[in-house]
Structures are given as C-alpha cells and as structure tokens.
Amino acid sequence: MKPIAITLGDPAGIGPETIAKAFRDAPDATRGCFVAGDVGTLRRASALVSGPGQPALPVALVATPAEVWSVPPQCIPVLQITELLAPIPYGQISSLAGKVAADCVLWACRATLQGELAALVTAPLHKEALAAAGLPYPGHTELLQFEAAAYLGKALQDVPVRMMLANDELRTVLVSIHLSLRQAIEAVTFDNVLQTLRITHRAVGAALGRAPRIGVAGLNPHAGEGGLFGREEIDTIVPALQAARAEGLDVHGPFAPDTVFMRARAKHGQPGEFDVVVAMYHDQGLIPVKYLGVEQGVNVTLGLPLVRTSPDHGTAFDIAGTGVADASSLIAALRMARTLSKF
C-alpha cells in the first residue's frame, strides 16, 4: 500500500490543528499518512491541541513518503515542502499563506499523478489567500484539474471533473462548481448534464461495485412545473437523461429540488431511493449534505486520474488557533480516500 498525503491547508486556518487532532484521535485512519507541509506549523498545531497536562504529539521530519512506514504511532510525519521562517498569524488572509497552501497541494498532486502516493487528502485553503498569491484557480478542484491535464498532455476540457459531497446519509454530485449563480444556470447544458451523469455513474459505481441508481434534481422550482417556471427541464435536462438511459445508465428525474434529496437520504439503516443525486449547481447540492452534518461530510473530486478527498468545511478563520476545531470531517476524508484508493 502506498502512503497517503495530507496537505497542510492554509496555515492561518484550522487545517493544521485538525490534522494534529486526527493523528491524536484516529491512529487507524492516519496510519500510512504523512503531512505535505511545514514542520514548524505542525509542531505549533500539535502543542495547541494537546490536552491539559498532556505532552504534544511529536512531529517527525521525513525525507521521502516511503519513510512514513517507519514512523511510530502517535507521531506526525511531515515532509517539508515549504519552510516558514516565522509562524503565520491565525485568522488572517495573506499571500504567503495562500502560496504555502498551494505549494503543498501542487507537490502532492504531482507525486500522486506520478504513482508515488495512493491518494491525497487536502486540508482547507482560503480562496482569497490563493488569489492574493497570484494563483489563477478559485479552489482545489480547478487547480487539480489543471495539473492533471498538464500531466496527461490534454486540454483542460478533456479532463472534466465534478465535485461530490458525501456522508453516511447522502451523496450529491454537482453539474457546476465555483461559478456565480447566473453562470451556473448558463452551465446547465445538455453536454454538461450528460457528462456529469457519466462521471457519476463511473465513479460512484466503482465505489459501490455496481451501477448506481442516480436521481436528478431539476433546476427550477417544482422541476419547472411542466414549463410554467422555466423550460430548462424540458429543453435540456430531460434530453440529457434520455441520452444517459440510452447508454445504460440508471437515471431518474428530473425531480423537484426541494424533495429529491429527502428521497435519496439513507436513514435508520435503510438505503434511500437513490444512491446519489445529481444537482444542477453548487449550493443546491451542498446545502442538503452540510445540513445533515458538516462534521461527517467529505468532498470527493470525481474525474481525476487520482483519488482526492477533503473535509467538508473551510478554513474557519474565526476559530483558528483556539484548539476547538472538529477533526471528524478530516478523519472521514482519510477513511474515504483509503477506501477509494483500493479500486
């Protein structure tokens, strides 16, 4: 089994302290994992989250990913990607923090593409800090897509990616990701919807070991109500679903967006009506999963030639440095990455 990299995230946010808590509280999930980041930042985080009267977890510098297997339990292995000469203040947007976060992701992405790692799990970065550092990407997903396309020697549009948010009760996949609402509506095209259904079918099917049952949310209230509230369902979404069914995909809808997620939700040990819901835009798909519990949500990037997961939360600058951040979502992301990397 190859190691799994956890990227540092924005050092001014809660990423480093959730990483330290994950190594402290979930040795099963962190076994074979190392941090692509900065030793000093992890030592600060480890000291921050140590309990009263308890010593901080030691941080070990490793020279290569393979050395992670020789690091003892309850020790945080760190591969030094970028060395900070002074601690970055908590809770502040800075170009330096954005560059540090991006450098860690770029290194881990390239190492995974080259087959050195089983997967990468990304701690949260701050989009404004990323922009301040001069990076032309609105988030992890777009950065990873660009790197994958460059590695494969393909045009960006030939490496289509999608975001899936998942927890134990619900999975959703988005037709568009980080776009304004106006742009997201314009992105609901026949090709984009059909492509999303294909990516969802392949990725979720691989994880389940069978063809997934896919529910599709409409764009408009009541899925357009037969054209009364918009024709996108009639003119775009339904034709895409018909094309997907002709390819053998098990797709259903489009359904009213305010009820389809409830129908797909697994509860009381019983599966929902659908294995996954395809949502038409970012907030439509993310709100239902996050409402069920941010602490257990996992973000998975579909369509990449590598496994990437991340926790379902941001940098949380308002609580960074207080030691109260919850590591549950990061731990869930680690377990998800381990599961997906076996396929």
Side-chain angles (χ1 to χ4, degrees):
M1 182 68 178
K2 296 175 182 177
I4 293 174
I6 310 170
T7 60
L8 182 69
D10 192 306
I14 64 170
E17 61 192 87
T18 60
I19 293 171
K21 284 186 176 181
F23 276 92
R24 183 193 70 188
D25 300 338
D28 62 317
T30 53
R31 181 65 178 156
C33 298
F34 69 96
V35 183
D38 170 63
V39 168
T41 299
L42 260 297
R43 285 179 176 152
R44 178 175 72 160
S46 181
L48 176 69
V49 304
S50 60
Q54 298 296 317
L57 286 188
V59 175
L61 179 64
V62 295
T64 67
E67 289 183 22
V68 68
W69 301 110
S70 61
V71 174
Q74 295 291 289
C75 183
I76 307 173
V78 178
L79 185 69
Q80 189 80 35
I81 304 301
T82 179
E83 186 173 0
L84 290 167
L85 299 179
I88 288 182
Y90 288 117
Q92 296 181 20
I93 297 170
S94 74
S95 59
L96 176 58
K99 184 180 185 304
V100 167
D103 286 348
C104 296
V105 176
L106 287 168
W107 181 90
C109 176
R110 292 165 184 171
T112 310
L113 287 168
Q114 292 164 7
E116 298 175 29
L117 308 175
L120 70 149
V121 178
T122 57
L125 51 73
H126 197 286
K127 294 175 177 58
E128 289 184 52
L130 202 65
L135 278 294
Y137 314 106
H140 277 113
T141 305
E142 295 83 359
L143 187 157
L144 295 169
Q145 180 189 27
F146 181 88
E147 285 296 311
Y151 178 80
L152 296 171
K154 294 184 176 182
L156 199 62
Q157 64 268 22
D158 294 330
V159 186
V161 297
R162 295 295 187 272
M163 178 191 290
M164 179 173 76
L165 209 63
N167 59 27
D168 291 339
E169 298 177 80
L170 184 65
R171 302 181 188 92
T172 65
V173 178
L174 313 179
V175 170
S176 64
I177 306 175
H178 298 120
L179 298 175
S180 71
L181 185 54
R182 187 182 303 278
Q183 291 173 313
I185 292 170
E186 293 170 353
V188 180
T189 65
F190 174 88
D191 289 340
N192 283 346
V193 174
L194 180 56
Q195 189 177 69
T196 305
L197 293 169
R198 288 169 174 163
I199 291 171
T200 302
H201 172 80
R202 288 195 300 269
V204 178
L208 295 176
R210 58 173 174 79
R213 186 173 173 85
I214 303 171
V216 179
L219 174 67
N220 297 299
H222 305 281
E225 198 74 78
L228 290 175
F229 305 142
R231 292 192 55 85
E232 285 84 359
E233 286 77 13
I234 295 170
D235 297 337
T236 302
I237 300 174
V238 167
L241 267 61
Q242 291 171 337
R245 292 189 193 105
E247 297 177 7
L249 279 63
D250 187 8
V251 298
H252 305 266
F255 299 110
D258 58 353
T259 59
V260 65
F261 300 100
M262 291 186 286
R263 293 171 62 177
R265 180 186 178 189
K267 51 186 176 180
H268 308 306
Q270 298 299 314
E273 190 175 342
F274 309 110
D275 296 304
V276 58
V277 176
V278 167
M280 292 299 118
Y281 57 93
H282 185 279
D283 286 8
Q284 185 190 60
L286 266 58
I287 289 172
V289 180
K290 292 192 175 190
Y291 180 77
L292 292 174
V294 171
E295 66 278 357
Q296 293 299 329
V298 178
N299 179 1
V300 184
T301 304
L302 308 182
L304 292 171
L306 54 82
V307 172
R308 178 260 172 165
T309 67
S310 72
D312 174 26
H313 57 70
T315 51
F317 277 1
D318 58 325
I319 61 169
T322 66
V324 302
D326 191 336
S328 299
S329 185
L330 176 63
I331 294 168
L334 287 165
R335 291 186 170 127
M336 177 80 76
R338 198 178 301 279
T339 298
L340 293 176
S341 64
K342 294 177 182 177
F343 292 97

